[in-house]
Amino acid sequence: MSLTNWHIAETVEIPTWLSEKVGKFAAQLLCQRGIIAPEQVESFLDITAYQPTSAFAFGAEMEQAIARIQKAYEQGEAIAIWGDFDADGITATSVLWEGLGQFFAQGDRLVFYIPDRLKESHGISIRGLDELRSQCQSAGKSLSLIITCDTGSTCLDALTYAQDLGIDVIVTDHHTLPDQRPPVAAIINPRYLPNQHPLFNLSGVAVAYKLMEALYETLPEIPQKPLEDLLDLVAIGLVADLVKLTGDCRYLAQKGIEVLRQKQRLGVRMLLEQCKRVGDRPIDISFGIAPRINAVSRIWGDVRKCVELLTTRDERVCKALIEQTELANTQRKALQKKVFKQVQAKIEQLDLSTTGLIVLADPQWSVGVLGLVAGQVVAEYGRPTILCTVEDGIAKGSARSLEGINLYDLLKGQEHLLLSFGGHPLAGGLSFALENLQLLTESIDQKFWSQYGQLQSKAINIDLEVNIADLSKELFNEFKQLEPFGMGNPYPKLLVRDCQFSEISNANIRTQKGQKVEYIKTEFTLSDRNGNQIYGDWWGHYSYELPDTSCDVVIELVDNAFRRRYDVRLLDFHAQSAPLSAELPSLATSIKNSDLNLKIIDWRGRDLVELNDHSSATICDRCPQSWQDVNTIIERAHQANQALALVYPRPEQINGAIAWQTLVGVAKYLSRTGKEIRRSQLIAKLGIDDQDVLQIGFEELQQYGYAVNAIAVPSDDRDLIIRINSIASIYDGFTTANPFIQAANELAFQQQFFDRQLLKNALHSSAG
């Protein structure tokens, strides 16, 4: 397993009243997330203390939308709902179907249309408009108003076409906005609001709900059912779409889960029974309801039955639909794993050291699972990824990115190569002529390198450091106060140091009917030196991947309702290397003959040329890797009577897996072109300035059919010229377990440790 960078949140001072109110660990989380003031805490914990934002905060657009719907109601017009085929779009369609159904007769004056995922794309299409209009005409209705949900903001051609047909459109959406306001009767999209607005992060279903809220408020005497009955659907869409659960998003999710827990909706109750979930936590949605709803479109395309499942009152119909969703979800799992393996095989042919984005296409791939697989690729390889299927010369697919890389911006500006695209900074959909594949790939890859400049290694943000003895029902209940967890309020990631795995075994995952599913997990017991232990599992991994040495682990505490206990879910581990496994002395006891009041300045990441005066400081341009290094560095500054300035690259940028990818890419390039590289240049590319680790890398390359020769540079006896030639074609792809990766990760571990020791005394400087 490659070493993932760990970013551990700083411990902050906790007010006594807060610790007494929610417990010390929950209080620490709240403070780290900026929720400190008493009124903030109260409204965060208690939904009755939160003041929800009015639907009319959307301003004139909401007023125009309500006026147009009111006109349609008064004049007996027919309305069509245009939805989308993911869980957010399906629940949004269901909200409008039930909400507008209080004003317009369902199936008569109210119809809905959702594109088929396997035949159409996200968004409004001219083809779909013609089909919808034809359906209405066949029923003797003249379509004059369409209300979209979770889609439509950037479908300018289709919206113009609707306008030409005399059809008004009200867009409710939350995706990225077009450069100019589209030709619509109203557009209700929280992206028009300031980033810190409490409505800014609403998902599609939540925007649809706010529209219904405004309509109920305007015509309160007409609806026969409470608006709040729709909140369980809102919670499902919000959690499934991974929006930030802050502001009104959190409020609506909290209220919705309360309704969900009551299980008044037949389809929701039967879905929860099917996946053996209670319905009182977001995890019941994200791991139970949402995958089953999403699976229908991924496997079969047509999701109209999903809306029926969520809105029907017929138990016989509902039972049949539940069976279909379960079958679709089982097939989705198998198909996803199959496509992921095929994608990995293609990735092995790429030079990942020079690849900023992974863009692949294959006519055999099912478009329904490409978004899920792209997300897996992002997690595994740390690259923004676009995966497409191909039909009749058109590539159609899904894109996923990682935090800090705006995929939408990378695609924007490539409209001349695209037939369609839309989405978020982290996810989107697109289509283009297959002949444009290479040009599109080169264009966005060039834009990536110019904007971001470097590849990002995988990282985990850790919230708290705990002991195994802390992992109890009491801690779980502390965390439960802070639910719902999700984007913007992530589930706590916990660091446990110096523990070991035992009683390790693999478990085969099966369906309720005993059928084997193409997923595995490893079960284990986690123990510390004091005899404390807890059970846990590691999804998607085999038992042999766990180390037999002491480890630091990152885990989540979970409620194992089936076994009536609290377990841990393993997220990552760092095996302790031999030099650092023993009890380590502190910096103060390790520095010899030094002034412990020495000023240490953190200038890492700064360009020395930009700093006004660095001659008065002793420069440390290489991260220490041992206590001897620390002593030598500080003694040099002490003797010079100067501050010590740290200017070396941040050690968390070292990642063995990425370094190996880069080294293999360099080897391929040099062997193909016959060019050479200086050792100093290779060090800069890999981020590794350690002769022993580099030598291990060279030896490992030889195992893959490369010959490495190093020649001294006459003008610089500290540098070498590296030449690499291919002598055999036995390289069989990227592997995550080889001596070089392990050595690089151990180096990173050592450097991060000693870097932290230095920084404990560092005085951060911005002026130099």
Side-chain angles (χ1 to χ4, degrees), residues 598-610:
L598 175 71
K599 182 179 180 182
I600 302 177
I601 306 172
D602 183 7
W603 280 347
R604 297 173 309 161
R606 301 291 301 276
D607 186 346
L608 287 181
V609 177
E610 295 177 358

Side-chain angles (χ1 to χ4, degrees), residues 302-606:
D302 187 353
V303 297
R304 288 174 294 181
K305 292 293 185 182
C306 286
V307 176
E308 185 177 3
L309 169 62
L310 294 176
T311 57
T312 185
R313 295 172 180 79
D314 187 321
E315 191 164 338
R316 180 184 57 82
V317 171
C318 197
K319 183 178 180 181
L321 294 174
I322 290 289
E323 291 177 355
Q324 290 183 36
T325 63
E326 190 66 26
L327 176 61
N329 195 43
T330 301
Q331 293 179 358
R332 185 271 305 169
K333 291 178 182 178
L335 181 59
Q336 182 181 343
K337 183 163 187 178
K338 177 183 177 181
V339 173
F340 182 53
K341 286 182 176 179
Q342 294 172 346
V343 170
Q344 283 184 304
K346 286 182 178 288
I347 291 174
E348 288 175 355
Q349 307 305 313
L350 300 178
D351 180 355
L352 289 176
S353 69
T354 58
T355 301
L357 285 87
I358 294 173
V359 184
L360 299 171
D362 193 308
Q364 299 182 62
W365 293 341
S366 170
V367 70
V369 296
L370 290 185
L372 296 174
V373 176
Q376 286 182 276
V377 174
V378 170
E380 180 70 21
Y381 297 93
R383 304 287 198 284
T385 299
I386 299 173
L387 301 179
C388 300
T389 190
V390 182
E391 185 176 355
D392 297 329
I394 302 299
K396 172 187 171 187
S398 294
R400 296 292 184 270
S401 189
L402 59 163
E403 197 67 42
I405 299 179
N406 190 321
L407 188 63
Y408 187 90
D409 281 351
L410 291 175
L411 285 168
K412 194 167 179 58
Q414 311 300 325
E415 290 93 336
H416 60 293
L417 299 175
L418 299 170
L419 297 176
S420 65
F421 87 104
H424 307 288
L426 297 179
L430 73 166
S431 64
F432 54 91
L434 183 61
E435 62 188 26
N436 290 335
L437 175 62
Q438 183 174 351
L439 185 57
L440 177 65
T441 302
E442 292 173 352
S443 296
I444 57 178
D445 197 64
Q446 183 179 13
K447 190 172 180 181
F448 167 84
W449 289 111
S450 65
Q451 279 190 213
Y452 299 101
Q454 63 180 7
L455 299 171
Q456 297 189 2
S457 56
K458 293 188 288 185
I460 291 180
N461 294 318
I462 299 171
D463 298 289
L464 301 167
E465 185 172 341
V466 300
N467 299 313
I468 291 180
D470 298 320
L471 301 173
S472 62
K473 177 181 179 180
E474 288 71 26
L475 180 60
F476 183 85
N477 287 335
E478 272 194 43
F479 292 160
K480 202 169 188 297
Q481 300 172 90
L482 311 185
E483 289 187 341
F485 291 115
M487 292 283 287
N489 183 39
Y491 195 85
K493 292 180 175 58
L494 312 175
L495 171 62
V496 183
R497 295 191 185 276
D498 196 18
C499 47
Q500 286 189 309
F501 297 101
S502 62
E503 300 177 11
I504 303 170
S505 63
N506 278 130
N508 291 320
I509 310 303
R510 296 182 179 273
T511 66
Q512 292 179 339
K513 295 182 179 180
Q515 299 169 318
K516 185 179 178 182
V517 179
E518 293 292 317
Y519 275 80
I520 50 93
K521 70 173 178 177
T522 293
E523 296 179 342
F524 56 82
T525 299
L526 192 66
S527 310
D528 64 18
R529 296 182 186 275
N530 297 320
N532 299 303
Q533 63 180 36
I534 190 168
Y535 296 103
D537 54 48
W538 192 24
W539 285 84
H541 293 271
Y542 291 97
S543 56
Y544 64 79
E545 296 181 66
L546 288 177
D548 55 5
T549 59
S550 293
C551 294
D552 296 340
V553 300
V554 182
I555 52 94
E556 290 178 348
L557 181 62
V558 297
D559 179 11
N560 189 333
F562 179 73
R563 293 179 175 172
R564 297 184 179 181
R565 69 189 189 204
Y566 295 92
D567 292 354
V568 298
R569 178 175 296 119
L570 179 64
L571 303 178
D572 195 24
F573 64 82
H574 286 177
Q576 294 182 358
S577 57
L580 298 178
S581 58
E583 187 69 25
L584 287 168
S586 68
L587 177 63
T589 58
S590 298
I591 299 172
K592 302 172 183 177
N593 303 319
S594 295
D595 182 354
L596 295 181
N597 293 320
L598 175 71
K599 182 179 180 182
I600 302 177
I601 306 172
D602 183 7
W603 280 347
R604 297 173 309 161
R606 301 291 301 276

Side-chain angles (χ1 to χ4, degrees), residues 50-85:
Y50 182 83
Q51 182 60 47
T53 309
S54 168
F56 287 100
F58 283 103
E61 297 289 352
M62 181 65 81
E63 293 172 1
Q64 291 164 199
I66 296 303
R68 183 63 185 87
I69 297 172
Q70 190 171 359
K71 176 186 174 185
Y73 173 76
E74 293 169 350
Q75 297 186 1
E77 297 179 58
I79 293 181
I81 302 164
W82 189 299
D84 195 45
F85 42 68

